[in-house]
Amino acid sequence: MMKKLFLAVVVALAAVTVQVSAENSSQPDKVYTREFIESAVTYRNVQVYKVFDYKNAYVVEYRKGHRDVGMVSIPKRWYSELPRKLNFRALPRGMEPYMTLISKEGAFERVVLTMPIDRTDPYWGISTQGQVEDADKDTLEVEY
């Protein structure tokens, strides 16, 4: 009796396996190939040398190429507007500050500054001048 039950289970499993493999062979695209979908969102990290805090904007000195220094201004209003175009992230211990530029479908989406929390840190600078002229912009152009 036990042998017959075991044989019945083996035959049933074989029948199910044959049926499943027949269904999969009729749709080989889904079984044997993988589709790689390219993301519409991209990012780029840039080393930050110093961030100057003005009344209406942050001016970021960043590494451009291997030896050059670039400067870009980021309006402070981007931090309070929704959706936010400016975010801050606490700098992990042992790392240098950096700026992450996030684009969606090739257009600027937002910027994230990874900086020390302590504003007395040498990476932070306070401007003695009043305001930045181009602080009313809606996008960020950065030269690498």
Side-chain angles (χ1 to χ4, degrees):
M1 177 77 171
M2 192 65 135
K3 289 182 183 180
K4 289 181 183 180
L5 181 62
F6 179 72
L7 186 58
V9 170
V10 170
V11 169
L13 284 175
V16 168
T17 303
V18 169
Q19 180 64 27
V20 169
S21 68
E23 287 176 9
N24 287 341
S25 65
S26 67
Q27 299 174 353
D29 299 351
K30 295 181 181 176
V31 175
Y32 299 110
T33 60
R34 291 186 182 181
E35 291 183 31
F36 293 100
I37 300 170
E38 188 173 320
S39 175
V41 178
T42 58
Y43 72 94
R44 183 151 187 178
N45 289 328
V46 182
Q47 182 182 359
V48 169
Y49 293 128
K50 196 162 193 101
V51 175
F52 294 97
D53 190 356
Y54 284 81
K55 187 174 182 176
N56 62 341
Y58 297 102
V59 175
V60 180
E61 284 185 353
Y62 65 94
R63 183 178 181 178
K64 180 175 139 182
H66 295 287
R67 294 179 283 171
D68 297 329
V69 176
M71 291 185 80
V72 66
S73 63
I74 303 171
K76 285 186 174 181
R77 67 180 170 81
W78 287 3
Y79 185 75
S80 58
E81 292 178 346
L82 293 176
R84 279 190 181 162
K85 290 185 182 180
L86 170 63
N87 287 315
F88 288 95
R89 189 171 29 206
L91 181 68
R93 180 172 263 161
M95 292 185 68
E96 299 285 324
Y98 62 96
M99 174 172 59
T100 304
L101 299 144
I102 301 169
S103 301
K104 187 172 185 178
E105 297 176 358
F108 171 74
E109 181 80 13
R110 67 183 183 272
V111 61
V112 179
L113 288 173
T114 305
M115 297 289 297
I117 294 173
D118 182 10
R119 294 289 178 111
T120 62
D121 191 278
Y123 289 111
W124 284 101
I126 299 173
S127 173
T128 56
Q129 299 175 359
Q131 300 198 13
V132 176
E133 292 177 13
D134 66 343
D136 60 343
K137 61 186 175 182
D138 291 323
T139 188
L140 192 63
E141 300 284 330
V142 175
E143 294 179 30
Y144 301 105

